[in-house]
Amino acid sequence: MPRLRVLLFATAREAVGQSELEVPYRRGQTLAEVLAEVVAAHPRLRPHLRHRLALDGEFLEQPASAVILSSQKEVAILPPFSGG
Amino acid sequence: MPRLRVLLFATAREAVGQSELEVPYRRGQTLAEVLAEVVAAHPRLRPHLRHRLALDGEFLEQPASAVILSSQKEVAILPPFSGG
Amino acid sequence: MIPSALIRLTKSPIRPETYRKTLEDPGSGGVALFEGRVRDDPGHHATRLYYEAYSPLALRELERLSRQAATRFGARRIVIVHRLGHLRTGEIAVFIGVATAHRTKAFAACRFLIDELKRRVPIWKTREESRTKR
Amino acid sequence: MIPSALIRLTKSPIRPETYRKTLEDPGSGGVALFEGRVRDDPGHHATRLYYEAYSPLALRELERLSRQAATRFGARRIVIVHRLGHLRTGEIAVFIGVATAHRTKAFAACRFLIDELKRRVPIWKTREESRTKR
């Protein structure tokens, strides 16, 4: 069973108290379904699901419900940026 | 007899080939009159009389013909600035 | 013209003079630079911030910004360095330098880079007290 | 707030890192800097310029500009250094640094200072070949 690393930054990281999670998935599941499982295990992450996402190192431009997982390795939850 | 130093910069300096001249004046003469004498001695300076002037270290805001000389020491001919 | 861009995320203190050579260019008459520093908020104690980045994507996005600065503003030399980790008041969080032929475009490009960095690049600061280990 | 302004005309090469300390300020989150350099004009040989100033008036005018930058843009630290004498391609003719609370005003103040310096301050450059001894 493939596993998805979930990277958490800033407020999302603070909400969970960890900067990284891992979740197994079945090929054919949507990204939204897998993230829902993550939130079930870490309820304080829920408000952070409205943030932008990056999948395997690129900004995700479509909704998570439109992404069918096959061999993806890494999703990042990106709160509003505050660099500089 | 008091003397006025005439400081020349940039194109005005290049026109005369010197960065400084000196001219005697009589109290009561106008600055314009004294500068006319300078130009008589250095005709290539003539086109530079249209530039701004500074008198004793401050920009001159009135015309040279309105300045009555008494104890002034230094006039500067200021071509358009090109610093930076 | 392909601009020379140096882009870096670093946990070490930023020393701008390190990047002087990179910004040298006989065709550039104007160099605009920006340093973003941690400042004391009025009414707070000395500020301590934690900076983190999603590094691979941040670097790629900064490279995109550099190419845009070259195209739009004729930037000939570009340096963008962002600090990560724990910072205190007075430390440099970000350093940007741009060399162009003329000053107006140097300012415009530098301004573009810091504005877009803040908007588009996955880097975050949080107050130190709320930090968790990464 | 009275700003700390360092204003200098110098015949020695300008080394911007010399002025780093002067621009340090715990209340400043943005520092904008500008370097005006001698550049090669396309189609010319290496450029050689001669810079001269009517120094007493130039210094006074730069002080006026600094006070205006403090009033209009909240500049908290200001450095303005202009080189005089003979310069070649790549050398820094003018260095300006401004520290303010926020970046937008740092850029605005820095831009104001270089623009007004060029417009209002009695400093001149001439091509070296036409130079006479001063």
Side-chain angles (χ1 to χ4, degrees), chain D residues 118-134:
Chain D
K118 284 175 170 273
R119 210 170 64 83
R120 286 167 45 183
V121 179
I123 301 175
W124 300 267
K125 61 169 153 283
T126 43
R127 294 213 158 259
E128 185 75 340
E129 55 272 22
S130 58
R131 169 175 67 91
T132 52
K133 274 228 162 64
R134 176 144 217 111

Side-chain angles (χ1 to χ4, degrees), chain D residues 27-93:
Chain D
S28 289
V31 183
L33 307 113
F34 176 75
E35 296 176 13
R37 298 192 192 159
V38 178
R39 77 181 187 105
D40 277 346
D41 279 327
H44 278 74
H45 290 289
T47 309
R48 301 179 59 144
L49 298 177
Y50 178 70
Y51 280 90
E52 62 199 302
Y54 184 27
S55 296
L57 186 47
L59 290 169
R60 215 170 311 142
E61 199 65 12
L62 289 171
E63 275 156 26
R64 279 182 206 126
L65 291 183
S66 296
R67 285 195 297 274
Q68 290 175 3
T71 307
R72 293 193 201 176
F73 306 103
R76 297 170 59 94
R77 297 284 187 277
I78 295 173
V79 171
I80 308 174
V81 187
H82 204 297
R83 176 89 180 272
L84 300 178
H86 311 294
L87 275 77
R88 290 162 175 266
T89 297
E91 289 195 277
I92 300 175

Side-chain angles (χ1 to χ4, degrees), chain C residues 88-125:
Chain C
R88 291 163 173 264
T89 297
E91 288 195 277
I92 300 174
V94 60
F95 170 72
I96 294 177
V98 186
T100 67
H102 301 289
R103 78 181 185 288
T104 306
K105 292 198 166 174
F107 277 109
C110 191
R111 187 65 203 270
F112 167 82
L113 288 171
I114 181 63
D115 287 355
E116 293 300 294
L117 181 152
K118 283 175 170 273
R119 209 170 65 84
R120 286 167 46 183
V121 179
I123 301 176
W124 300 267
K125 61 168 154 282

Side-chain angles (χ1 to χ4, degrees), chain A residues 23-76:
Chain A
V23 56
Y25 66 90
R26 296 182 307 284
R27 290 188 174 81
Q29 270 191 302
T30 69
L31 178 58
E33 287 165 353
V34 172
L35 288 175
E37 291 172 20
V38 173
V39 164
H42 301 276
R44 302 178 72 182
L45 204 53
R46 180 173 308 278
H48 298 279
L49 283 196
R50 64 187 157 79
H51 297 320
R52 287 179 80 181
L53 300 172
L55 189 62
D56 285 348
E58 284 292 352
F59 290 119
L60 189 64
E61 307 296 353
Q62 71 245 70
S65 57
V67 178
I68 312 291
L69 293 175
S70 53
S71 59
Q72 291 88 337
K73 293 192 162 54
E74 184 177 285
V75 66

Side-chain angles (χ1 to χ4, degrees), chain C residues 40-58:
Chain C
D40 277 346
D41 280 326
H44 277 74
H45 290 290
T47 310
R48 301 178 60 143
L49 298 176
Y50 178 69
Y51 280 89
E52 63 200 300
Y54 185 28
S55 296
L57 186 48

Side-chain angles (χ1 to χ4, degrees), chain C residues 42-94:
Chain C
H44 277 74
H45 290 290
T47 310
R48 301 178 60 143
L49 298 176
Y50 178 69
Y51 280 89
E52 63 200 300
Y54 185 28
S55 296
L57 186 48
L59 289 169
R60 213 170 313 141
E61 198 65 12
L62 288 171
E63 275 156 24
R64 279 182 205 127
L65 290 182
S66 295
R67 286 195 297 274
Q68 291 175 2
T71 308
R72 293 193 199 177
F73 306 103
R76 298 170 59 96
R77 298 286 185 279
I78 296 173
V79 170
I80 308 175
V81 187
H82 204 298
R83 177 91 180 271
L84 301 177
H86 311 294
L87 275 77
R88 291 163 173 264
T89 297
E91 288 195 277
I92 300 174
V94 60

Side-chain angles (χ1 to χ4, degrees), chain B residues 30-52:
Chain B
T30 68
L31 179 57
E33 288 164 355
V34 173
L35 289 174
E37 292 172 21
V38 173
V39 165
H42 300 277
R44 303 176 74 182
L45 205 52
R46 181 173 306 279
H48 298 280
L49 283 196
R50 64 188 155 78
H51 296 321
R52 286 179 81 181

